[in-house]
Amino acid sequence: MLVPSKLNVAVLTPWWRMLFPSMRQVRQKFTATRVDNVEAETDRQLQTLGLSRVISPGQTVAIPAGSRGIANIDCILRTIVRHFQNLGAKPFIVPAMGSHGGGTVAGQTSILTGYGITEDFLGTEIRASMETVIVDRTPQGIPVHFDRHAYEADHVFICGRIKPHTGFVGEIESGLHKMMLIGLGKHEGAKIYHRAIQAYSFMEIIQSVSDVVLEKCGVIGGLAIVENAFDETGRLEAVAPDDFLTREIELLKLAREWMPQLPFREADLLIVERIGKDISGTGMDTNIVGRKFNDHAATEGDDTRIKRIFVRDLSDGTHGNGTGIGIAEFASQRALSRVDWNITRINAITGGHPTAAMVPLAWETERETLEHALQTIGLVEPHEAKVMRIYDTLHLENVWVSEAYADELLNRDDLELIDRPTPMRFDAAGNLEPVSAEKLIKS
């Protein structure tokens, strides 16, 4: 009888006998500035622009609403609407989200509804269309697309969150300028600008396109939103058109300073409960998981080094858009089954990021998938692996970490130990026992 070698024994060892690392919950202590009364502060900021000097009674004002899950965005937009109504204007909302929602009117309107952005709540009309007007061409010859309804309005008022972009690097990344380009450029504008990035720098495109928009599209101001580490409204600032560039550069520095991070800069495996377009443009924020420049490896430009990522689910708010699933090496069958691949492909191709829609490895159960993932981390034994588990990249106050971080937890005043290490638990079906959103976000 042949006796298996040690190598064969290891290969034949059944997956259910693998020893997984024990995990414990830690709470990060972030210093955060928060706007307590968002509506009052929004109105106060708008008053500083003196818009009564440029608005005449009866004039129309287009206000873009994007596809990101911005804290208090429904109340912020309603306050902006009321401000213009009090000036005698006729404000209306336009969906401004590039190709999100499958690049369709119904899809983009549905996304707004999911954020509570409805005509009844706002007290005004939502004018949704994918039609654009080419208002001019940049010096590089790039056609500048702009939402038709917004272009036909007497005025346009920009509202957007300022934060580091998940792929582009520059003094300006995601914010008021991106809303003017990608958001109000709709599907056609998003496609051409992302293609142009293959030939020109992001800043070249931003400056040349925004110069055209500011000159020819009736922009009378903007409201910049910066969020704190707890996904709360940290700062609101009304900005005059001539100050868009200088203020966004400064506010991006603040947004980067306030941005939350994982408690440790290295991990063998990161378990992400959910990804989605309402969370980040790439489903999970590449600035946080260390995949901004390369989908599957940290670079010198990344602060975090994660060997493998496992995604358990999609958010309800992403409406099937699984963009970013391809950044993970492993996923659950549940996550893959919830992906609308047509919508996801449209978004990935429009953004010039086809790998974001590629399919990660998955087995029948999460336990099997994790077992295989932990075989790809090098010489580290699975039960000694450095593993972190998060809800999503917006909510990082509470994180589960493995025992391998025990020594690093010592003398960390910014971390609070919530419980003792416990074994990684699986249900009868072989899937990770869920941890409630409330427990992962705030305890």
Side-chain angles (χ1 to χ4, degrees):
M1 179 181 295
L2 294 175
V3 178
S5 67
K6 289 184 179 180
L7 177 60
N8 287 333
V9 170
V11 171
L12 296 173
T13 300
W15 58 265
W16 56 84
R17 289 180 55 185
M18 173 176 276
L19 291 176
F20 291 98
S22 293
M23 306 288 288
R24 73 187 306 169
Q25 183 186 1
V26 299
R27 181 177 298 143
Q28 299 199 78
K29 301 175 184 178
F30 298 122
T31 300
T33 300
R34 184 179 69 180
V35 176
D36 291 323
N37 191 327
V38 170
E39 292 179 315
E41 179 61 10
T42 298
D43 190 62
R44 189 183 75 81
Q45 286 292 326
L46 293 174
Q47 297 288 349
T48 66
L49 294 177
L51 294 173
S52 60
R53 296 192 296 268
V54 295
I55 295 283
S56 298
Q59 288 187 322
T60 54
V61 182
I63 306 165
S67 57
R68 302 294 183 259
I70 302 172
N72 303 305
I73 188 59
D74 52 346
C75 295
I76 291 171
L77 289 173
R78 182 172 66 176
T79 304
I80 295 172
V81 165
R82 289 177 175 175
H83 182 81
F84 284 112
Q85 288 173 336
N86 290 336
L87 295 178
K90 297 179 179 179
F92 62 90
I93 300 294
V94 293
M97 53 189 80
S99 65
H100 195 188
T104 67
V105 169
Q108 298 198 347
T109 303
S110 176
I111 288 169
L112 295 187
T113 299
Y115 294 145
I117 302 171
T118 64
E119 293 184 344
D120 287 343
F121 181 79
L122 299 176
T124 196
E125 182 184 1
I126 296 176
R127 299 182 187 177
S129 169
M130 297 307 297
E131 186 179 348
T132 62
V133 174
I134 298 178
V135 298
D136 203 348
R137 289 181 179 269
T138 70
Q140 300 91 342
I142 303 169
V144 177
H145 288 263
F146 204 72
D147 178 271
R148 180 175 64 81
H149 289 304
Y151 185 72
E152 291 175 351
D154 295 305
H155 306 285
V156 177
F157 186 85
I158 308 297
C159 176
R161 178 178 61 191
I162 294 178
K163 65 185 292 292
H165 194 275
T166 54
F168 305 137
V169 179
E171 290 183 301
I172 290 176
E173 295 187 14
S174 186
L176 300 178
H177 284 79
K178 184 169 177 283
M179 180 63 79
M180 288 191 293
L181 275 67
I182 307 298
L184 286 167
K186 312 297 281 194
H187 192 183
E188 290 303 316
K191 283 194 297 185
I192 193 66
Y193 303 146
H194 281 101
R195 285 171 55 198
I197 289 170
Q198 305 297 322
Y200 303 98
S201 73
F202 188 50
M203 280 301 295
E204 283 181 287
I205 296 168
I206 277 182
Q207 289 183 294
S208 60
V209 176
S210 64
D211 284 348
V212 173
V213 171
L214 290 171
E215 179 186 354
K216 300 194 173 185
C217 296
V219 177
I220 56 173
L223 183 73
I225 304 167
V226 182
E227 293 184 342
N228 64 28
F230 296 103
D231 186 34
E232 300 169 328
T233 307
R235 181 163 178 170
L236 295 164
E237 182 174 322
V239 186
D242 290 344
D243 297 329
F244 271 22
L245 183 66
T246 56
R247 290 309 303 148
E248 189 160 343
I249 289 173
E250 292 304 312
L251 291 172
L252 177 59
K253 295 176 184 176
L254 180 64
R256 187 172 283 113
E257 178 186 329
W258 283 357
M259 187 176 224
Q261 296 293 335
L262 294 168
F264 302 104
R265 292 293 181 254
E266 295 186 0
D268 297 308
L269 175 67
L270 175 66
I271 301 173
V272 183
E273 295 295 300
R274 63 175 199 160
I275 66 171
K277 291 290 289 188
D278 52 326
I279 296 163
S280 173
T282 48
M284 51 184 150
D285 197 318
T286 56
N287 295 282
I288 290 169
V289 302
R291 301 285 177 88
K292 184 165 184 172
F293 306 96
N294 185 318
D295 280 354
H296 297 291
T299 69
E300 292 182 357
D302 293 300
D303 294 327
T304 304
R305 310 186 74 82
I306 306 294
K307 289 182 182 177
R308 299 287 182 258
I309 298 176
F310 170 57
V311 170
R312 296 194 66 227
D313 206 351
L314 266 60
S315 67
D316 292 336
T318 199
H319 299 274
N321 191 328
T323 296
I325 193 79
I327 295 173
E329 290 78 26
F330 300 90
S332 70
Q333 290 287 2
R334 179 181 56 257
L336 295 181
S337 69
R338 296 190 66 190
V339 176
D340 183 320
W341 292 104
N342 182 55
I343 288 175
T344 302
R345 284 191 291 263
I346 290 172
N347 195 211
I349 294 301
T350 300
H353 191 186
T355 55
M358 290 185 176
V359 183
L361 295 174
W363 278 258
E364 184 176 349
T365 70
E366 292 183 352
R367 185 165 188 165
E368 289 176 277
T369 305
L370 286 171
E371 186 264 348
H372 287 92
L374 289 169
Q375 290 181 29
T376 69
I377 61 173
L379 296 176
V380 180
E381 292 297 324
H383 68 282
E384 296 176 343
K386 289 185 174 182
V387 180
M388 288 187 280
R389 183 180 181 184
I390 63 174
Y391 184 55
D392 59 37
T393 53
L394 275 180
H395 304 99
L396 295 173
E397 181 183 6
N398 290 281
V399 180
W400 265 251
V401 302
S402 64
E403 281 191 274
Y405 291 107
D407 291 342
E408 296 179 63
L409 287 170
L410 300 174
N411 302 316
R412 283 286 298 268
D413 294 337
D414 61 324
L415 296 178
E416 178 185 357
L417 305 183
I418 303 301
D419 56 13
R420 300 176 65 83
T422 57
M424 196 177 286
R425 297 188 177 95
F426 298 87
D427 61 22
N431 297 320
L432 277 171
E433 287 191 356
V435 179
S436 68
E438 291 77 13
K439 197 169 183 181
L440 272 165
I441 295 175
K442 285 188 177 181
S443 299

